[in-house]
Amino acid sequence: MTPAHPRQIILDTETTGFYHSAAENPDRLIEFAGLEMVNRQLTENTLHLYIHPQRDIPAEAAAIHGITLDQLEGKPVFAQVAQQIFDFLKGAELIIHNAKFDIGFLNAEFARVGLPPIDSVCSVIDTLEMARNKYPGQKNNLDALCNRLGVDRSRRVLHGALIDCELLGGVYLAMTRNQFSLTDVLEDEAETAAPAAQTTAAPAPVFRADSLIVLHADADEAAAHEAYLDGLGSECVYRQPENE
């Protein structure tokens, strides 16, 4: 099944805190990341920016994402990258975990430079709401969903917009896996299998090649394979001319 919207942006932000609407010294955006998907396939079109917040970064916030004000020295302020972010997102379907938070910060930042709210030019999918509907009564933060859905989060030590986008992409695709051609066929057959007494075989599924991920052996794996074949001796069938 093709997604309703062909162009999607997996989006995440990091900020100085929680209160973008504070009357004095409001919290600001310090990192933006967006990964583009077209027809559920990641493209090479990404946008990842660090942004100087023009204010301090509280220690409790830095402890979460690991970003300090010193690291942002010389980075652009939001007004310098606002149009770039807006144009990148405009017209796409945004996939965000706890969208209310990120949309609130983006809209506050866009308002400061005279741009319209981003949710007025984009549709939004909130994967937190999706997860709460799918797994009621369970933990549905990003770490819990990665564990539940088998998404590798070993590289996530601190919160970061780019790594969180990559993990969220895996979570979103796993939660909507009925849109995968390969996984959909395998799981639907298991869930709707006929009783054992039925003798009529189901037609063989047809897999789309473009939905399969091919992992090629690296140099070390290829060398280990060759060493294993060497151990089988000169009569190894895989070393016969017709199999080369």
Side-chain angles (χ1 to χ4, degrees):
M1 180 170 63
T2 302
H5 201 295
R7 182 174 186 261
Q8 299 172 300
I9 301 291
I10 305 162
L11 184 154
D12 191 51
T13 64
E14 298 296 339
T15 68
T16 62
F18 299 104
Y19 308 109
H20 59 76
S21 59
E24 296 183 8
N25 200 26
D27 284 308
R28 303 290 300 272
L29 214 66
I30 58 174
E31 185 183 7
F32 171 91
L35 305 181
E36 182 187 68
M37 285 198 307
V38 175
N39 293 328
R40 294 178 61 82
Q41 299 292 323
L42 285 172
T43 73
E44 296 182 356
N45 187 19
T46 66
L47 183 61
H48 182 216
L49 299 167
Y50 288 102
I51 302 164
H52 195 288
Q54 299 177 283
R55 55 151 291 165
D56 64 309
I57 301 178
E60 56 269 26
I64 295 174
H65 47 59
I67 303 172
T68 65
L69 197 60
D70 288 343
Q71 293 172 318
L72 299 178
E73 189 66 35
K75 299 298 182 183
V77 300
F78 190 85
Q80 294 174 294
V81 297
Q83 193 66 54
Q84 182 183 10
I85 295 174
F86 189 87
D87 292 343
F88 177 72
L89 299 177
K90 185 177 180 181
E93 181 175 68
L94 308 183
I95 299 171
I96 311 172
H97 199 68
N98 191 16
K100 182 179 180 180
F101 178 87
D102 299 88
I103 293 297
F105 267 91
L106 284 169
N107 284 346
E109 294 284 8
F110 285 137
R112 292 185 183 101
V113 296
L115 287 170
I118 197 60
D119 47 343
S120 69
V121 295
C122 296
S123 58
V124 179
I125 291 177
D126 188 341
T127 51
L128 178 58
E129 290 185 7
M130 182 186 297
R132 285 171 174 168
N133 291 330
K134 193 174 182 68
Y135 311 111
Q138 301 184 53
K139 287 185 177 180
N140 289 305
N141 59 39
L142 191 54
D143 284 342
L145 289 172
C146 286
N147 292 339
R148 187 175 304 141
L149 297 167
V151 176
D152 180 13
R153 62 180 183 90
S154 59
R155 294 190 298 117
R156 190 194 199 213
V157 179
L158 295 169
H159 286 264
L162 187 58
I163 182 62
D164 284 0
C165 278
E166 294 171 358
L167 296 178
L168 181 57
V171 164
Y172 171 75
L173 291 173
M175 284 200 296
T176 58
R177 61 185 176 271
N178 62 314
Q179 295 180 9
F180 283 141
S181 60
L182 176 59
T183 309
D184 182 42
V185 168
L186 296 177
E187 294 204 352
D188 282 357
E189 284 189 350
E191 293 174 2
T192 62
Q198 182 175 341
T199 58
T200 303
V206 177
F207 298 142
R208 288 174 46 216
D210 61 359
S211 69
L212 303 179
I213 299 175
V214 178
L215 298 179
H216 297 283
D218 59 28
D220 291 339
E221 291 168 334
H225 176 68
E226 290 300 321
Y228 178 80
L229 294 183
D230 288 341
L232 297 178
S234 60
E235 299 301 319
C236 173
V237 67
Y238 295 106
R239 289 283 174 79
Q240 301 305 310
E242 62 269 22
N243 292 313
E244 288 181 354

